[in-house]
Amino acid sequence: DARVTQTPRHKVTEMGQEVTMRCQPILGHNTVFWYRQTMMQGLELLAYFRNRAPLDDSGMPKDRFSAEMPDATLATLKIQPSEPRDSAVYFCASGLVLTGNMNTEAFFGQGTRLTVV
Amino acid sequence: AQSVTQLGSHVSVSEGALVLLRCNYSSSVPPYLFWYVQYPNQGLQLLLKYTTGATLVKGINGFEAEFKKSETSFHLTKPSAHMSDAAEYFCGYSTGRRALTFGSGTRLQVQP
């Protein structure tokens, strides 16, 4: 059945290293969201794309985070350099937006649990 | 700021009792409202959504929610709790220009 696939599911890395998280949205969905979940901040919207174009990345720390969609089947979220405060679960979600209206439900992947030591 | 607020970070009910999880929204434009459930080590799964039309929305697993504009609320209810309902529940909100964002979540415990 159709689902959002995220890799890796778990990542432990040392501070200062580059981290890349990957997401395969549901086939046919044109909108991809990145969320971060922590105990302290809850679920935060980091960035989202429609038709592979970034619409809003205001939730993302610009100096170290970057998000891209190289093609319609792959979205990436990179952190360089990583810091311990980046430890969180990162979720990718996808949806179908038929007009300019962003009112769409999001289908979530299982998440990438990142630990930066 | 336009957003949703979930009242109560933890709710505990007995098995078979009514479940009521509260969500209030703040919006100057008609919102779309959502309830999602998250089980441990899982992503979020949609329970139900309100877009337009009927204000009482039925979802999966026996849950329902009612959009009350006068009270700016979208509370989630289930008549009889089951042990398998223990999870974290998130109220979500979007508008025409704003993508889906979430409240702080409510952890539901179900006591035997």
Side-chain angles (χ1 to χ4, degrees):
Chain A
D1 66 316
R3 63 180 67 186
V4 175
T5 303
Q6 290 187 248
T7 56
R9 288 293 313 277
H10 302 272
K11 176 74 175 178
V12 180
T13 192
E14 291 185 347
M15 183 173 60
Q17 296 298 304
E18 178 178 297
V19 174
T20 299
M21 291 169 272
R22 293 177 173 80
C23 169
Q24 181 176 7
I26 292 173
L27 188 65
H29 282 184
N30 63 352
T31 304
V32 171
F33 308 86
W34 283 103
Y35 293 88
R36 176 171 63 183
Q37 185 175 35
T38 61
M39 290 290 291
M40 294 299 294
Q41 300 297 326
L43 268 167
E44 303 172 276
L45 176 63
L46 297 177
Y48 57 98
F49 294 73
R50 195 172 86 225
N51 297 326
R52 296 176 55 200
L55 289 188
D56 189 340
D57 62 0
S58 59
M60 214 162 60
K62 299 291 190 302
D63 55 339
R64 299 182 299 107
F65 284 59
S66 62
E68 296 180 342
M69 279 202 74
D71 61 60
T73 65
L74 177 64
T76 62
L77 179 66
K78 289 186 181 181
I79 308 174
Q80 168 63 16
S82 57
E83 297 181 2
R85 59 180 167 150
D86 301 329
S87 297
V89 181
Y90 291 81
F91 287 104
C92 174
S94 70
L96 182 61
V97 174
L98 297 177
T99 67
N101 190 319
M102 285 304 300
N103 289 331
T104 181
E105 68 185 268
F107 294 80
F108 280 75
Q110 301 270 58
T112 295
R113 183 175 296 275
L114 174 65
T115 303
V116 183
V117 298
Chain B
Q2 301 178 28
S3 65
V4 288
T5 301
Q6 291 185 241
L7 301 175
S9 58
H10 289 82
V11 170
S12 182
V13 300
S14 298
E15 192 173 18
L18 171 71
V19 175
L20 171 61
L21 304 182
R22 301 178 187 272
C23 174
N24 287 88
Y25 69 90
S26 171
S27 179
S28 58
V29 298
Y32 279 28
L33 296 165
F34 306 80
W35 276 101
Y36 280 77
V37 61
Q38 185 181 31
Y39 298 102
N41 300 314
Q42 299 289 319
L44 277 70
Q45 178 185 1
L46 180 69
L47 278 177
L48 50 81
K49 62 181 178 182
Y50 169 78
T51 56
T52 58
T55 56
L56 182 62
V57 181
K58 294 187 184 297
I60 62 171
N61 301 340
F63 284 93
E64 63 182 38
E66 186 170 9
F67 173 68
K68 292 187 176 180
K69 186 176 179 180
S70 61
E71 299 178 8
T72 61
S73 68
F74 190 59
H75 301 332
L76 181 70
T77 60
K78 182 174 180 178
S80 176
H82 192 272
M83 296 297 290
S84 61
D85 295 327
E88 188 147 20
Y89 292 80
F90 292 91
C91 182
Y93 160 100
S94 71
T95 67
R97 290 184 174 274
R98 285 172 55 93
L100 179 58
T101 57
F102 293 95
S104 54
T106 298
R107 185 167 299 279
L108 176 66
Q109 286 185 308
V110 182
Q111 309 289 345

